[in-house]
Amino acid sequence: LPRPALHAQAASDVQARLAARIAQVAGAEVGIAVHDLASGQRLSIHGDTLFHAASTMKVPVLFALFREFESGTRRGDETMRLENQFRSIVDQSPYALSMADDSDSSVYRLVGRDVPLRDLAARMITHSSNLATNALITRLDPQRITELTRHMGATRMQVLRGVEDNVAFRAGLNNTTTANDLVALFVALQQGRVANAANSREMLAILEAQAFNNEIPAGLPSGTRVAHKTGSITATLHDAGLVFPPGRAPYAIAVLT
């Protein structure tokens, strides 16, 4: 077959296999997106369906912080006094995070100390620290974070608030994303549209140091380089990132369930 026909046939086969796999789980809602930077090929299955973002929203928080380092809005060595006290976006009522409900308890030992923003960013990604995330969001503007995702090609993603703002949750105010939007963010990172080369390398290194590797990396050959971020809440499990097969450009992939 001519090459375009081969590509079309392969894409159709992949979509059929994925649809069959999804159908094995009654009631499953799944969004999948892939953008292969080597060939330019893309695949999307319900790629524009909105999901609760869970901890994948920490990716644009990381990007926004490094943009501020690069612009000089914040010093690269800036610190902040870490507190476990936050305000709901609904009514400004105070709330605190529970160490027992956080995937990273180590950051709580730093409460009351001056902590480098870079260290908080690393724990936010590698161990998905909710405390580090909320601390950084107090220094960043969620509206500007969302606007940044638009410049990166994400059309529907919304970053509204920090984690465990239960008053906002009950009001239906949640961080949301799509598979296509997460793929757009990772493509932008790889193409150098998020930050300069040095900051891009640092963000990729943080994403590659991900401690939770039971999703995308588990389906790849051992040792494959992956820069990614997971997210999970009740009945929701996501993973998205860049996969670097040996000897070729990477592909961006997001699987939201």
Side-chain angles (χ1 to χ4, degrees), residues 43-67:
L43 179 145
S44 177
I45 297 175
H46 303 300
D48 285 326
T49 298
L50 274 174
F51 288 80
H52 192 300
S55 288
T56 64
M57 53 76 68
K58 297 169 184 177
V59 174
V61 175
L62 176 74
F63 289 6
L65 178 65
F66 273 76
R67 288 280 284 236

Side-chain angles (χ1 to χ4, degrees), residues 22-89:
I22 292 166
Q24 292 176 19
V25 183
E29 295 181 15
V30 180
I32 300 172
V34 182
H35 183 156
D36 182 10
L37 289 158
S39 67
Q41 283 190 290
R42 303 185 188 194
L43 179 145
S44 177
I45 297 175
H46 303 300
D48 285 326
T49 298
L50 274 174
F51 288 80
H52 192 300
S55 288
T56 64
M57 53 76 68
K58 297 169 184 177
V59 174
V61 175
L62 176 74
F63 289 6
L65 178 65
F66 273 76
R67 288 280 284 236
E68 294 207 350
F69 289 155
E70 190 165 310
S71 69
T73 304
R74 298 196 181 281
R75 300 190 323 274
D77 63 351
E78 186 171 330
T79 65
M80 67 176 293
R81 180 62 56 88
L82 184 62
E83 304 292 347
N84 185 10
Q85 183 82 5
F86 307 101
R87 296 278 178 182
S88 172
I89 64 169

Side-chain angles (χ1 to χ4, degrees), residues 58 61-62 120-126 128-129 132-133 136 229:
K58 297 169 184 177
V61 175
L62 176 74
L120 292 173
R123 299 302 294 193
M124 172 180 69
I125 298 297
T126 61
S128 209
S129 168
T133 302
L136 289 174
K229 180 72 192 80

Side-chain angles (χ1 to χ4, degrees), residues 191-207:
Q191 292 179 337
R193 292 187 285 113
V194 176
N196 64 27
N199 282 325
S200 295
R201 284 193 299 270
E202 186 172 349
M203 286 187 284
L204 281 170
I206 291 171
L207 289 157

